[in-house]
Amino acid sequence: ESSTYDDMKKLMIPGLLLLAMLLYGCPYGSTVPIDEPRFPAIRSLFGQWKQPNLEKSYAAVSRYQMRDTMRYRVVYNSWTAEKGSYQVKIFKAQMSEVAGAYFFNIAPESKTSAPYFILGIRWNQAKDSLWLRPVNGEGAPRFSDSPALKSWIAANMTKKDFFEPEEVFVRAQ
């Protein structure tokens, strides 16, 4: 069991940066998360992450609230050259596991009924990099309960068009 948890921790580190993926494409939005938070926030996930092709934009990941050890807070700072300033988006997030794959459930912090965006993640700790893949929202069914959403993901996640194109992130520091 502990080796599974250790393996999961290694994969979860990139999870918080998945929020930055919301700027690319139209990820699947759900009124419910895949499941309730079950994994404690991993400290090695905290910090700043960026996409190599976007020099000034970055995501800062931290614990959501001091007493909430299961959720993350992601602040995405998107540089706007035309305005010469950052556009800031704040999200709350949690990690889920489906059939051995890890997903991030991300929602805007400012809205209580905001959808959860569902993103798959992979991570390579040795290279301090992660890969994020939003679940494709085009034509996807909507679910009102988490078990049905989780079952749908498990049944479809190996299909060719289930995910949108993958994006790479590296640790900013």
Side-chain angles (χ1 to χ4, degrees):
E1 283 182 45
S2 65
S3 67
T4 301
Y5 178 72
D6 291 338
D7 291 341
M8 181 187 62
K9 283 192 330 186
K10 291 176 186 173
L11 292 170
M12 290 168 63
I13 290 176
L16 297 178
L17 299 179
L18 296 175
L19 299 178
M21 288 302 302
L22 297 176
L23 301 177
Y24 300 90
C26 180
Y28 180 80
S30 174
T31 57
V32 295
I34 294 172
D35 53 19
E36 290 300 314
R38 296 181 317 156
F39 309 115
I42 306 302
R43 295 183 65 82
S44 56
L45 235 165
F46 300 165
Q48 291 186 8
W49 296 85
K50 67 179 184 121
Q51 290 182 275
N53 59 334
L54 299 174
E55 290 182 25
K56 292 188 176 185
S57 298
Y58 64 93
V61 179
S62 62
R63 185 183 302 183
Y64 183 63
Q65 293 177 349
M66 198 58 151
R67 290 186 214 139
D68 189 342
T69 62
M70 308 294 251
R71 290 184 178 89
Y72 302 88
R73 182 174 196 242
V74 178
V75 179
Y76 188 72
N77 298 276
S78 176
W79 179 255
T80 307
E82 303 83 47
K83 295 180 181 179
S85 63
Y86 285 98
Q87 177 183 5
V88 179
K89 294 183 180 183
I90 302 173
F91 302 89
K92 57 186 173 186
Q94 67 188 53
M95 191 70 63
S96 294
E97 184 270 330
V98 179
Y102 296 93
F103 291 83
F104 223 46
N105 305 265
I106 301 167
E109 183 181 59
S110 61
K111 301 176 183 173
T112 56
S113 62
Y116 289 90
F117 296 102
I118 311 298
L119 304 107
I121 64 167
R122 294 185 302 121
W123 179 66
N124 184 321
Q125 185 173 8
K127 294 184 179 178
D128 249 351
S129 56
L130 61 98
W131 296 263
L132 308 174
R133 299 183 306 162
V135 170
N136 187 346
E138 189 174 327
R142 301 293 173 219
F143 299 95
S144 58
D145 64 271
S146 295
L149 172 61
K150 191 170 188 173
S151 293
W152 174 76
I153 290 171
N156 292 282
M157 66 187 198
T158 58
K159 292 183 178 177
K160 180 182 174 186
D161 295 328
F162 185 73
F163 292 101
E164 291 184 19
E166 188 170 69
E167 295 287 335
V168 177
F169 291 81
V170 295
R171 191 171 291 279
Q173 298 177 9

